[in-house]
Amino acid sequence: MAENLPEDSTDPWKYAILFSKFLLFFIDGGITKSFGVLLPDVVARYNSDFKTVALVLGLPSTMMFFTAPITIFLMKIMTLTTMATIGGLLSALPIICAPWAPSVYILGMMLAITGLGMALTFFPLLVSMNRFFSKSFIFANTLTLFGTTCGAFLVPVIIERSLEAYGYAGGFLILGGIAFHAVVCGALVRSPRERRRDNFISSDSDNAERDSLMAVPVSDQSEMEQTDRGNASIILQETVEEFKSEEENARSSSGNDSWCSCDSFLAHLKSFLFLHEPLYIVIAPAMVLQCFVQVGWMLFLVPHAEGAGIDQSNAVFLSSIAGISGIFGRILYLILLHLKRDNTIIFCFACVICASSFFFDFVSSSYIFLAGMASVQGFTVFIFDCLPHAMMKISIQNEENMPRAIATNSFIVGIGFLSGAVLSGYIYDVTSSFRVLFVVYGVLLLIITINLIIFKLIVQRKPRE
């Protein structure tokens, strides 16, 4: 299906769009990890519990995905550049004002606005990237995902030093200043500007027409002008009559408002994305389950090691080991994309390898074994981390549906993240075993693999039909 896509834009501005999306992911990853540094201070400041504060501090990333469908309606009243710039302001201002929030609930409302602002910037950037990188969208989007890893490594260190130097308010102000760079990301959004071949053809035809008119005698030119005037008057008269007939039809149909509203409702219903893109329906469950496994694994990797008897200081290093392995995993994925390997097959192998590591979790509880499993899981998790946007691009057959697909995809990712965090905690509360939880992740990864195989078979069969 990738061969039928239009070529990438020749506008050099596409690299600015690429950098903008990288920077936005840098901000998102940095905010998420920095809130882990600020969490104890927020608990002490508002005399709250960790569960409530963790939910509040997780609102920016969650709201960024859940509110993405709203941007579809905002596209009708403003440009993508305006939307993205306003989103950048909304991303930063609540974080800057967060130290003066009177309660943890007001803080939650402010951080929810931050998530909305990031959605207003994230959606235009993703749409613009699809316009600039029509054919290599998957490769370009994977490059920008490195921003999350870089932000997660660098920004928490900055915020930790800021807390020591400037205190609670100063740490939030510096984090808000980092988030303020989202305004730059939004201001860089614009459509591709390139001169097409048909423009040159039309200009050449205009010159040829002008030369032919210069070659016609003056008497013939006057006859041609009179003929043109007569034709123009006939066209003008027909236009006036057509306009009158449209007015009469509008008056006659003014009494049928209920039918019009019904027709408009049916038109909106028929424009629902799932009715036009059946392949997207097939792959949507894999997207939800992938986000479920990813967020659950990230939340419970360190507690799982602590439950196995590893002290906290050493258990924290498992996240660093998984993150470093994830960088190599994404590099390998980019190499495979450059070699034009099939995305579906890559994700299938990654899911099977990761599922095997979850199933082998019961073998040993030693730190070396858990570190090896964490490296394997990080290597593979950050490969199929690219699954939602990659499979969205492959499954959408009509490029005109891409804006709606991006918004719908963001909502699906939000559902996966939220359900993964909540249900993983519920499974542990019921079973009191991290090993059972990891086995559940392995089973879900096998279900994702089956879903990908079914999708691949349908795609291969469709061209034959």
Side-chain angles (χ1 to χ4, degrees), residues 380-441:
T380 52
V381 165
F382 286 103
I383 289 179
F384 61 73
D385 174 37
C386 309
L387 186 147
H389 290 107
M391 300 310 295
M392 175 199 67
K393 181 66 176 180
I394 296 173
S395 61
I396 298 300
Q397 296 176 302
N398 188 357
E399 282 293 312
E400 295 179 357
N401 293 328
M402 278 302 296
R404 285 186 295 163
I406 291 171
T408 305
N409 207 64
S410 300
F411 186 76
I412 288 177
V413 170
I415 292 175
F417 282 161
L418 183 62
S419 60
V422 175
L423 294 181
S424 295
Y426 176 76
I427 293 172
Y428 176 73
D429 291 337
V430 173
T431 61
S432 299
S433 174
F434 288 110
R435 288 183 173 176
V436 173
L437 182 60
F438 274 38
V439 170
V440 171
Y441 293 155

Side-chain angles (χ1 to χ4, degrees), residues 13-29 64-65 118 121-130 133 137-148 181-182 184-186 188-189 389-390 392 406 410:
W13 196 258
K14 62 184 180 182
Y15 300 108
I17 300 296
L18 193 72
F19 173 76
S20 298
K21 193 162 179 291
F22 174 89
L23 181 59
L24 183 66
F25 278 163
F26 178 91
I27 295 171
D28 179 41
M64 183 179 74
F65 292 110
M118 295 182 69
T121 308
F122 171 75
F123 177 79
L125 282 173
L126 205 55
V127 172
S128 299
M129 178 170 288
N130 183 64
F133 298 92
F137 172 82
I138 299 175
F139 185 87
N141 184 70
T142 306
L143 281 176
T144 61
L145 291 178
F146 281 95
T148 304
H181 287 77
V184 180
C185 300
L188 292 176
V189 174
H389 290 107
M392 175 199 67
I406 291 171
S410 300

Side-chain angles (χ1 to χ4, degrees), residues 297-440:
W297 171 77
M298 293 178 68
L299 286 174
F300 292 98
L301 177 63
V302 175
H304 167 57
E306 294 177 357
I310 308 299
D311 59 283
Q312 186 180 9
S313 59
N314 290 326
V316 172
F317 284 108
L318 293 180
S319 295
S320 301
I321 294 173
I324 295 173
S325 300
I327 293 176
F328 288 106
R330 281 182 173 167
I331 293 175
L332 175 62
Y333 178 64
L334 288 174
I335 294 173
L336 294 175
L337 285 181
H338 182 70
L339 298 176
K340 302 185 183 303
R341 303 304 179 188
D342 195 327
N343 280 274
T344 310
I345 298 176
I346 296 173
F347 294 141
C348 284
F349 275 106
C351 289
V352 170
I353 295 173
C354 190
S356 301
S357 68
F358 284 130
F359 290 141
F360 289 139
D361 183 73
F362 66 91
V363 172
S364 175
S365 298
S366 64
Y367 184 76
I368 296 177
F369 178 80
L370 292 179
M373 292 296 100
S375 62
V376 173
Q377 291 160 9
F379 188 87
T380 52
V381 165
F382 286 103
I383 289 179
F384 61 73
D385 174 37
C386 309
L387 186 147
H389 290 107
M391 300 310 295
M392 175 199 67
K393 181 66 176 180
I394 296 173
S395 61
I396 298 300
Q397 296 176 302
N398 188 357
E399 282 293 312
E400 295 179 357
N401 293 328
M402 278 302 296
R404 285 186 295 163
I406 291 171
T408 305
N409 207 64
S410 300
F411 186 76
I412 288 177
V413 170
I415 292 175
F417 282 161
L418 183 62
S419 60
V422 175
L423 294 181
S424 295
Y426 176 76
I427 293 172
Y428 176 73
D429 291 337
V430 173
T431 61
S432 299
S433 174
F434 288 110
R435 288 183 173 176
V436 173
L437 182 60
F438 274 38
V439 170
V440 171

Side-chain angles (χ1 to χ4, degrees), residues 105-160:
Y105 303 104
I106 301 298
L107 177 64
M109 295 174 60
M110 297 170 68
L111 295 182
I113 295 175
T114 295
L116 174 62
M118 295 182 69
L120 296 181
T121 308
F122 171 75
F123 177 79
L125 282 173
L126 205 55
V127 172
S128 299
M129 178 170 288
N130 183 64
R131 293 176 178 175
F132 280 93
F133 298 92
S134 299
K135 193 167 186 178
S136 59
F137 172 82
I138 299 175
F139 185 87
N141 184 70
T142 306
L143 281 176
T144 61
L145 291 178
F146 281 95
T148 304
T149 308
C150 295
F153 274 123
L154 297 177
V155 179
V157 177
I158 298 174
I159 299 304
E160 184 180 7

